[in-house]
Amino acid sequence: MGFDALKLEKGMYHEGGKSFTQVLESLDPSENYKGTALEGTDAFQRQLKRFDIRVKGAYSDPVEKFFRTSDSSVLFPEYIARSVKQGMEDNNILPKITATVTTIDSRDYRSVYTDASDEDKKLMDVAEGASIPATEVKSKSNLISLNKRGRMLVASYEAIRFQKLDLFSVTLRQIGSYIQNMHLADAINVLVSGDGNDNAATQYAIGTSPISGTSGTLSYKQLVEFWAQFDPYELNTFLMPNDAMIATMSLSEFQNPLTGINFQGTGSLSTPLGAELLRTNCVENGTIIGLDRRYALEMVQAGEVSVEYDKLIDRQLERAAITSTSGFGKIMQEAAKVLVI
């Protein structure tokens, strides 16, 4: 059966354990199009072509194009979800601070951890016949908390039916950006306060040993002293709010011409410590979070972006929820630390 003969229906959105696109792919595999003009498209994109729906560019179609037939209307929720997901991925820094992503199909998740003393971490000689030092992996006492974050799409069909899809996508991407910022705030809260398993980050304050200086001021020396607290981990990522970022970038040690060239050319900031600087308003003012992103944080997500497909297909847009469910767990407690300026 070709892509132009598929029967589309609402039930394709709630087949157990599969997304709408996965259901489409099972009926119309992309591998069948190798060597054809449609190679490189997925099953959803081929359905857009089938109904001649253009969602991008100056000549994109109006929203009402999705509702010309009952079959094409089934595609509208997936278009919404994809546009929102694109907004979540734009300028998303979560991949830069998470060591691993776990996808589950329930609301309950219990992670694991290793409970190793300083003695256990040493590289010991193993004499012949002696026992080999062990690393014990345990389940955490408390479940990882998953939070459903979302926005309500409030608009009448009559208000948006003639709206061009390219412009409508901008609004949807903004919704995705809002949702992603909520997830980032959840991630930073776990990095600082822990995931409910007595694993909050160690906090250091400028002017209090082992960090020198005077409270309220920041020098390169204090950043180096903070860096030194991470052994045996590697401080490879900084999370900073605006005030800490300004204070850091104003230090003379950051006046390397290459730093300016990189920032002007790519927007990326390099540091003399070799760590990546990430700016976010989700970090409290006067605070710097340092982490080894290889070991600090696990992201747990329950499926992909969810939309109220029934309402969208039936053109009941007055209050249609768009949600994403994720949670975060600490992996190695000492892989993330906090510096209070």
Side-chain angles (χ1 to χ4, degrees), residues 200-216:
T202 303
Q203 297 207 13
Y204 300 91
I206 291 178
T208 302
S209 181
I211 309 297
S212 63
T214 303
S215 177

Side-chain angles (χ1 to χ4, degrees), residues 53-96:
I53 300 174
R54 291 164 293 184
V55 298
K56 296 180 180 179
Y59 299 100
S60 63
D61 289 309
V63 170
E64 69 170 359
K65 187 71 173 286
F66 274 104
F67 299 96
R68 297 284 173 83
T69 71
S70 58
D71 278 298
S72 61
S73 67
V74 176
L75 300 174
F76 190 57
E78 179 66 6
Y79 154 75
I80 296 281
R82 288 191 176 211
S83 298
V84 170
K85 188 174 181 179
Q86 183 181 347
M88 293 175 67
E89 294 172 348
D90 289 344
N91 301 316
N92 178 21
I93 68 173
L94 275 176
K96 297 182 178 182

Side-chain angles (χ1 to χ4, degrees), residues 55 57 60 79 163-173:
V55 298
S60 63
Y79 154 75
Q163 181 65 63
K164 292 289 187 178
L165 289 167
D166 195 48
L167 180 57
F168 188 48
S169 296
V170 174
T171 300
L172 297 174
R173 292 200 302 271

Side-chain angles (χ1 to χ4, degrees), residues 63 153-161 315-319:
V63 170
L153 179 62
V154 181
S156 69
Y157 174 69
E158 293 303 321
I160 66 169
R161 61 180 298 187
R315 292 181 284 186
Q316 298 173 8
L317 276 69
E318 282 75 7
R319 295 187 66 81

Side-chain angles (χ1 to χ4, degrees), residues 101-137:
V101 178
T102 302
T103 301
I104 61 175
D105 57 5
S106 68
R107 293 299 301 272
D108 295 331
Y109 177 76
R110 193 184 304 275
S111 190
V112 297
Y113 73 105
T114 58
D115 188 10
S117 64
D118 290 338
E119 194 67 24
D120 293 333
K121 296 175 184 176
K122 294 180 180 178
L123 296 176
M124 308 294 290
D125 289 331
V126 181
E128 185 175 350
S131 61
I132 299 175
T135 297
E136 186 177 1
V137 179

Side-chain angles (χ1 to χ4, degrees), residues 31-52:
E31 61 185 21
N32 293 345
Y33 296 88
K34 289 181 179 179
T36 72
L38 294 175
E39 182 176 6
T41 62
D42 64 24
F44 175 73
Q45 292 168 329
R46 290 191 291 275
Q47 290 302 309
L48 292 180
K49 182 174 181 61
R50 169 188 176 184
F51 294 103
D52 191 30

